[in-house]
Amino acid sequence: MSANVNTSLPLEYQTEQSRMNILGFWIFLGAEIVLFATLFSVYGVLYKNYAGGPTHQDIFMMKEVMIQTVLLLTSSFTMGVAIWEMRRNNKKGLIGWFILTLLLGAGFLFMEINEFIHYIHEGATMQTSAFLSSLFVLLGTHGAHVTFGIFWATMVIIQIAKRGLTPVTARKTFIIGLYWHFLDVVWIFIFTFVYLKGMVL
Amino acid sequence: MEVTIVGIKWDEILITGDPIILGSQIAILLTSLGIIGGLTYLKKWKWLWREWITTVDHKRIGIMYIVAAVLMFFRGGMDGLMMKAQTARPEMSILDSQHYNEVFTAHGVIMILFMAMPFLIGLMNVVIPLQIGARDVAFPQLNALSFWLFFSGAMLFNIAFVVGGAPDAGWTSYFPLAGKEFSPGIGNNYYAISLQIAGLGTLMTGINFIVTILKMRTKGMTLMRMPMFTWTTLITSVIIVAAFPIFTVALALMTFDRLYGTHFFTVAAGGSDMLWANLFWLWGHPEVYIVILPAFGMFSEIISTFSRKQLYGYKSMVVSIVAIAVLSMLVWVHHFYTMGSGALVNSFFSITTMMIAVPTGVKMFNWLFTMRKGRIKMTTAMLWSLAFVPNFVIGGVTGVMLAMGAADYQYHNTLFLVAHFHYVLIPGVVFAVFAGLYYWWPKMFGFMLNEKLGKWHFWLFVIGFNVTFMPMFFLGLNGAVRRAYTYSAESGFAPLFMLSAVGSVILAAGFAVFCYNIYWSIRYADRNISSDPWDARTLEWATSSPVQHYNFAKLPEVKSLDAFWYMKKNNEGITLKDEEIEEIHMPSNSGLPFLMCVAFGIVGFFLIFEWHLLAAVSTVLIIAGLIYRSFDYNDGYHIHKDEIRKTESTWKKMEGKVNNHVS
Ligand code: HEM
Ligand SMILES: [Cu+2]
């Protein structure tokens, strides 16, 4: 099964197994799109059901959200640079940019947790209203993905450090890259349809 | 003082006080002790671990799916019989209303998610890699994980009725009934958590088979040369990937509502109970196509083989499957016309629903035309396929009746509906898996199921099925509602209910013959049979039976549809030259999928019991498994040429002197 090696392709695409893993991951991202689309629809159905509790304008902190957005978008950029370094076969550069990406991701996460704590202090909990239930679960699912991504990427970084750039570590890195950009795209939708829309309505 | 991490009192964990449940508890205990004792006595533990539990071989995983599915069929069937016994006469008291609720819920969930799906996925596992001339699926270890997650979910769901309390809100678990307010116990947590775990496994299966079919077809097998079962599996997998995440979300939100007090589906605090109904059926209707499409594929193979003709209208078959897949996403509202969405919405969904009859009709005619002028062989597998046609048409036509939004106000929630969906699910799925089992059994085990017993099985089951469910159409039209545990003598329903109960006994007798057939065949069936006993047409028959673990010594080359038939007719590519033998790379076994099953089972169990602290702590087990997997660089092993040479010459030598069992 590891046969069919094609060295003219980028490292992560060289073995047949790698090509299958990457295709499989794209399909998995398809499933993730459906998952987030469902969460967005749920939010779309419930977002005005405040049940006498706080509304969007009562709780949203736009400045913090802007910072979160910048952090995450930048991390997507640095992730791109990391993959570019990988293509140049520069292990040090790859690891450096990769770590920077994760730090930005962790910064995003830190701010998001603070945001949640702030909401709870305002009396806006997941149990308060259907609007808040859907808000917390939508944001929380995205945040949980980022958390998972950070842990996962850390393990891959250890593997790159130990084993160097091999077809397998390159493939793993590339797949995390896809995952990370995907989370960024989801965030853009959250930013637009949850925060911006929530503030103007 | 109450211990607060525990949401249930200790003495409520084991359900007590009901003779049926007590009997089951004793039976479960004795069976478990019997299995453990038997394995120890026969010194089979090592064998079980090495050959089965840690296997990543698609054929063995398939067989494990099928074994589990047959057991689940038994469990679900018992539930069905209990309901039939309870309603056999008016005002019976075998089951009280609460118990009846639990039984139909268990029956529905088990039959669809733990019987039909795994049975089909099991056959897909056994057959698809062989049919496309591959050595395994794209991700063998993930495949094992899929199985073990399904198994974990199924076991959790099955213990509900003896440990903690059974879910009782129907297989659809509509809110507000399924919410904490109206179902305060932990029973319905079983539904949310165990289906979540099993669903994860199904999603991975979907991804796995898409990649396998797209990437691992052997040389020359273009998309339009794929056998029909492969086509239906591909499209089914696409539907799985498109639909299962919706269920994942729905179940997660249900879990949040029940465990953490959110308000997605509660009527209080702005939630919407109809949101659940929509999400459920957005997954639920595609789900019924997930179970019917592979069945269609299997019938196509079997009808073509035993009519000794190429499948009629291959292209139109492919187009119909794709059309059905697309339409299946656009019909979900037909399950709740009576919600009152308005005439326009209901009309839209009436039309899309009726449109599904068109591609399905195309397929029906294609099967009929395949048989036309064929030299039909009446094997048991073919009998099931023949019976499928008229019985499924009854299900389909009543489906079109139900599709009319206005008329549905009359049929909704009556036994007419129950009869309808059993007429599609049983002829569609159950006949198919029986047909598939008789057909591919020799491929899996190297001997056939007894054809004579098979015919008894067939006639008893088909007659029993019709006697059971035909009366339900009329009961429903007369006003008998579904999910009702009893009825009065004055209603006049008694004779038809009685007839239906008698039918279910005949049906059960058919199932018993099936079990006996397995037993008989394992003990006495002729082992000296051809690797291609049906004179079949597709590649799975081009190799030994049972299949050697590397599937093909040399990957076959495909020149046309029905590749193996073509090879036989032209005597091409069947023989293996010695210099063609090469070392084969295979994946290694792994115990991790099974350990993940245990880990998910533990976490799931704690969540169900709302022991949040324990659940959180034991999540470490799952994380540990993931970390282990990430650092696992085991790259499999190679099979030496000598071993291949030996295996190949043994089965090829056998071929000359086999006994023929099909005339
Ligand atoms: C083997 C013989 C079977 C018998 C005797 C049987 C009998 C029944 C009965 C009596 C009911 C409940 C009717 C009521 O609402 O009161 C029922 C419901 C149901 N059955 Fe079956 N059934 C059988 C097979 C199957 C199979 C093979 C499937 C699916 C693949 C299936 C799926 C369902 C579902 C989904 C429900 C609805 C459960 C609910 O209301 O939540 N059944 N069946
Ligand atoms: Cu439907």
Side-chain angles (χ1 to χ4, degrees):
Chain A
M1 287 186 181
S2 61
N4 207 344
V5 178
N6 184 346
T7 44
S8 67
L9 294 170
L11 197 54
E12 67 272 19
Y13 280 107
Q14 282 182 2
T15 68
E16 179 65 18
Q17 188 64 49
S18 286
R19 292 194 285 274
M20 291 199 294
N21 282 32
I22 292 172
L23 175 65
F25 197 78
W26 274 108
I27 298 168
F28 172 73
L29 286 184
E32 288 270 54
I33 290 175
V34 179
L35 184 123
F36 277 104
T38 312
L39 284 172
F40 274 109
S41 331
V42 169
Y43 176 80
V45 171
L46 301 175
Y47 78 106
K48 275 190 191 150
N49 300 0
Y50 303 121
T55 66
H56 294 80
Q57 280 94 341
D58 294 338
I59 55 169
F60 281 176
M61 313 180 289
M62 273 326 263
K63 197 177 104 233
E64 279 80 354
V65 171
M66 283 309 289
I67 301 175
Q68 283 180 34
T69 307
V70 172
L71 284 175
L72 205 63
L73 291 188
T74 319
S75 83
S76 213
F77 174 73
T78 53
M79 182 53 119
V81 180
I83 299 292
W84 180 72
E85 291 287 8
M86 182 176 90
R87 290 269 166 87
R88 296 202 315 161
N89 214 359
N90 177 358
K91 180 175 148 188
K92 274 221 181 97
L94 164 60
I95 294 184
W97 286 100
F98 211 165
I99 291 179
L100 183 61
T101 307
L102 299 191
L103 289 178
L104 290 167
F108 165 85
L109 213 59
F110 177 77
M111 302 227 22
E112 183 162 60
I113 292 170
N114 268 338
E115 183 192 334
F116 280 15
I117 293 174
H118 165 81
Y119 290 169
I120 292 167
H121 279 303
E122 300 268 294
T125 68
M126 197 157 79
Q127 291 85 4
T128 312
S129 66
F131 153 61
L132 286 165
S133 299
S134 62
L135 179 76
F136 271 100
V137 170
L138 176 57
L139 296 181
T141 308
H142 177 266
H145 275 75
V146 175
T147 317
F148 180 78
I150 291 176
F151 283 111
W152 178 20
T154 311
M155 283 184 289
V156 173
I157 290 177
I158 298 174
Q159 290 167 39
I160 305 169
K162 274 205 326 219
R163 292 165 184 271
L165 274 174
T166 67
V168 176
T169 52
R171 177 241 295 163
K172 289 187 176 187
T173 314
F174 183 76
I175 286 179
I176 293 190
L178 293 179
Y179 180 77
W180 201 263
H181 295 310
F182 168 74
L183 293 183
D184 216 41
V185 174
V186 173
W187 180 259
I188 293 174
F189 278 88
I190 291 182
F191 183 73
T192 319
F193 289 108
V194 177
Y195 290 107
L196 287 186
K197 188 160 174 248
M199 289 315 280
V200 292
L201 276 182
Chain B
M1 204 184 79
E2 283 283 331
V3 190
T4 43
I5 52 162
V6 180
I8 181 173
K9 294 195 199 70
W10 290 106
D11 57 349
E12 285 173 3
I13 292 182
L14 219 58
I15 303 295
T16 49
D18 184 301
I20 301 179
I21 294 184
L22 185 68
S24 315
Q25 282 164 335
I26 295 173
I28 292 173
L29 196 72
L30 289 181
T31 317
S32 315
L33 286 176
I35 294 174
I36 294 173
L39 283 168
T40 314
Y41 181 73
L42 296 168
K43 299 204 174 60
K44 287 283 187 195
W45 283 107
K46 260 227 178 86
W47 167 83
L48 190 69
W49 176 260
R50 205 163 6 102
E51 303 285 322
W52 294 95
I53 291 178
T54 61
T55 188
V56 295
D57 179 340
H58 68 97
K59 303 174 285 295
R60 293 191 172 217
I61 291 173
I63 290 171
M64 291 196 291
Y65 265 117
I66 293 170
V67 171
V70 172
L71 292 176
M72 288 295 103
F73 199 158
F74 181 76
R75 161 85 208 264
M78 278 303 183
D79 288 336
L81 289 180
M82 274 159 72
M83 291 188 284
K84 287 281 91 183
Q86 163 62 22
T87 54
R89 311 255 309 108
E91 318 274 5
M92 291 266 275
S93 52
I94 302 173
L95 305 173
D96 60 23
S97 62
Q98 171 60 22
H99 201 166
Y100 192 85
N101 295 350
E102 294 173 6
V103 170
F104 70 66
T105 305
H107 168 81
V109 171
I110 288 178
M111 281 300 199
I112 296 210
L113 287 142
F114 300 137
M115 189 287 287
M117 285 245 290
F119 218 135
L120 294 162
I121 291 178
L123 286 163
M124 274 155 57
N125 259 295
V126 171
V127 177
I128 295 302
L130 293 166
Q131 254 188 1
I132 61 173
R135 295 220 164 95
D136 208 321
V137 291
F139 313 116
Q141 192 166 332
L142 188 72
N143 198 22
L145 183 64
S146 288
F147 169 76
W148 285 110
L149 286 183
F150 143 69
F151 192 76
S152 181
M155 288 302 110
L156 271 181
F157 191 85
N158 271 279
I159 58 167
F161 79 113
V162 288
V163 187
D168 56 1
W171 91 283
T172 49
S173 278
Y174 276 177
F175 278 79
L177 177 60
K180 255 296 185 267
E181 192 185 351
F182 295 101
S183 300
I186 62 155
N188 284 287
N189 296 350
Y190 270 108
Y191 179 95
I193 304 290
S194 59
L195 297 193
Q196 186 72 286
I197 295 174
L200 287 177
T202 310
L203 180 63
M204 293 172 196
T205 301
I207 296 175
N208 213 337
F209 275 90
I210 296 179
V211 180
T212 306
I213 295 175
L214 290 183
K215 285 282 202 177
M216 293 178 72
R217 278 168 289 131
T218 191
K219 194 166 162 209
M221 184 175 280
T222 56
L223 285 176
M224 291 313 269
R225 283 184 192 160
M226 294 197 310
M228 197 44 63
F229 186 32
T230 305
W231 257 114
T232 54
T233 300
L234 175 64
I235 301 299
T236 303
S237 305
V238 173
I239 307 181
I240 287 178
V241 172
F244 260 78
I246 306 174
F247 198 40
T248 305
V249 171
L251 289 173
L253 303 186
M254 172 189 254
T255 310
F256 272 103
D257 266 13
R258 290 191 53 88
L259 265 57
Y260 308 117
T262 53
H263 294 289
F264 290 101
F265 309 126
T266 59
V267 186
S272 159
D273 49 355
M274 283 320 290
L275 182 59
W276 167 266
N278 277 282
L279 291 179
F280 180 87
W281 286 113
L282 262 164
W283 159 80
H285 193 88
E287 165 67 14
V288 305
Y289 283 90
I290 292 170
V291 295
I292 204 68
L293 284 184
F296 283 175
M298 299 189 328
F299 285 130
S300 302
E301 303 292 342
I302 291 167
I303 289 176
S304 160
T305 298
F306 294 117
S307 306
R308 323 196 55 64
K309 281 177 64 197
Q310 206 174 63
L311 188 65
Y312 184 89
Y314 178 90
K315 274 190 198 142
S316 63
M317 282 294 203
V318 174
V319 174
S320 318
I321 307 166
V322 176
I324 290 176
V326 173
L327 285 172
S328 79
M329 304 280 172
L330 301 173
V331 298
W332 77 96
V333 171
H334 65 209
H335 294 276
F336 41 85
Y337 287 134
T338 52
M339 167 178 140
S341 318
L344 209 63
V345 174
N346 280 3
S347 311
F348 174 83
F349 284 96
S350 293
I351 291 168
T352 52
T353 305
M354 286 184 223
M355 274 162 66
I356 292 197
V358 177
T360 315
V362 169
K363 297 180 77 69
M364 279 290 162
F365 281 108
N366 281 339
W367 287 314
L368 293 176
F369 283 128
T370 307
M371 288 186 253
R372 183 169 172 269
K373 288 193 174 168
R375 269 177 288 131
I376 297 180
K377 281 191 194 166
M378 289 293 180
T379 58
T380 309
M382 186 63 179
L383 283 178
W384 289 112
S385 313
L386 288 174
F388 153 74
V389 174
N391 283 299
F392 191 82
V393 166
I394 297 177
V397 170
T398 50
V400 176
M401 291 167 72
L402 285 157
M404 289 178 264
D408 184 60
Y409 276 70
Q410 192 62 34
Y411 311 129
H412 187 74
N413 257 352
T414 65
L415 290 182
F416 185 83
L417 167 78
V418 175
H420 151 71
F421 69 67
H422 283 87
Y423 260 92
V424 282
L425 283 167
I426 293 183
V429 183
V430 179
F431 288 11
V433 295
F434 282 148
L437 209 58
Y438 279 91
Y439 183 62
W440 281 297
W441 189 276
K443 190 76 316 208
M444 292 189 267
F445 301 109
F447 58 92
M448 294 168 148
L449 285 173
N450 184 304
E451 284 282 304
K452 202 162 170 198
L453 287 172
K455 279 168 194 151
W456 275 99
H457 170 202
F458 169 79
W459 284 110
L460 286 170
F461 200 92
V462 172
I463 293 171
F465 157 70
N466 276 288
V467 177
T468 308
F469 290 101
M470 189 57 83
M472 284 204 202
F473 281 124
F474 299 99
L475 281 168
L477 291 179
N478 287 341
V481 292
R482 74 187 284 203
R483 294 176 175 170
Y485 79 110
T486 194
Y487 51 93
S488 64
E490 297 79 61
S491 64
F493 297 153
L496 283 177
F497 264 119
M498 189 59 186
L499 182 62
S500 171
V502 171
S504 68
V505 175
I506 305 175
L507 188 147
F511 189 79
V513 175
F514 165 64
C515 296
Y516 177 68
N517 194 353
I518 294 181
Y519 166 80
W520 188 93
S521 305
I522 290 176
R523 292 211 55 171
Y524 306 114
D526 185 2
R527 261 51 178 184
N528 188 21
I529 60 162
S530 157
S531 61
D532 173 27
W534 313 116
D535 197 7
R537 316 176 75 83
T538 40
L539 284 180
E540 72 268 30
W541 303 100
T543 188
S544 158
S545 308
V547 183
Q548 57 279 49
H549 60 303
Y550 51 82
N551 291 2
F552 299 98
K554 173 185 76 173
L555 293 182
E557 191 179 335
V558 173
K559 298 235 170 85
S560 78
L561 200 64
D562 288 350
F564 183 49
W565 185 258
Y566 180 91
M567 283 156 81
K568 285 190 285 191
K569 287 290 144 269
N570 299 293
N571 205 358
E572 261 183 50
I574 297 183
T575 48
L576 177 72
K577 294 193 205 71
D578 196 56
E579 63 270 19
E580 287 173 329
I581 295 181
E582 282 174 11
E583 285 201 340
I584 295 174
H585 177 256
M586 295 299 289
S588 308
N589 282 5
S590 166
L592 189 61
F594 173 73
L595 296 177
M596 288 298 256
C597 155
V598 177
F600 270 92
I602 293 173
V603 176
F605 185 83
F606 288 151
L607 275 179
I608 288 165
F609 277 78
E610 302 179 15
W611 297 345
H612 300 294
L613 202 66
L614 287 172
V617 172
S618 50
T619 308
V620 173
L621 295 173
I622 297 176
I623 296 173
L626 292 175
I627 294 178
Y628 179 84
R629 176 67 184 138
S630 180
F631 285 94
D632 178 17
Y633 273 74
N634 185 330
D635 199 29
Y637 65 100
H638 285 88
I639 306 173
H640 289 298
K641 287 188 189 174
D642 288 339
E643 192 190 331
I644 300 170
R645 212 170 273 133
K646 215 171 99 204
T647 318
E648 292 300 309
S649 63
T650 334
W651 76 266
K652 294 228 157 137
K653 221 181 301 162
M654 290 272 299
E655 288 296 283
K657 25 189 161 134
V658 291
N659 303 325
N660 199 352
H661 292 270
V662 192
S663 46

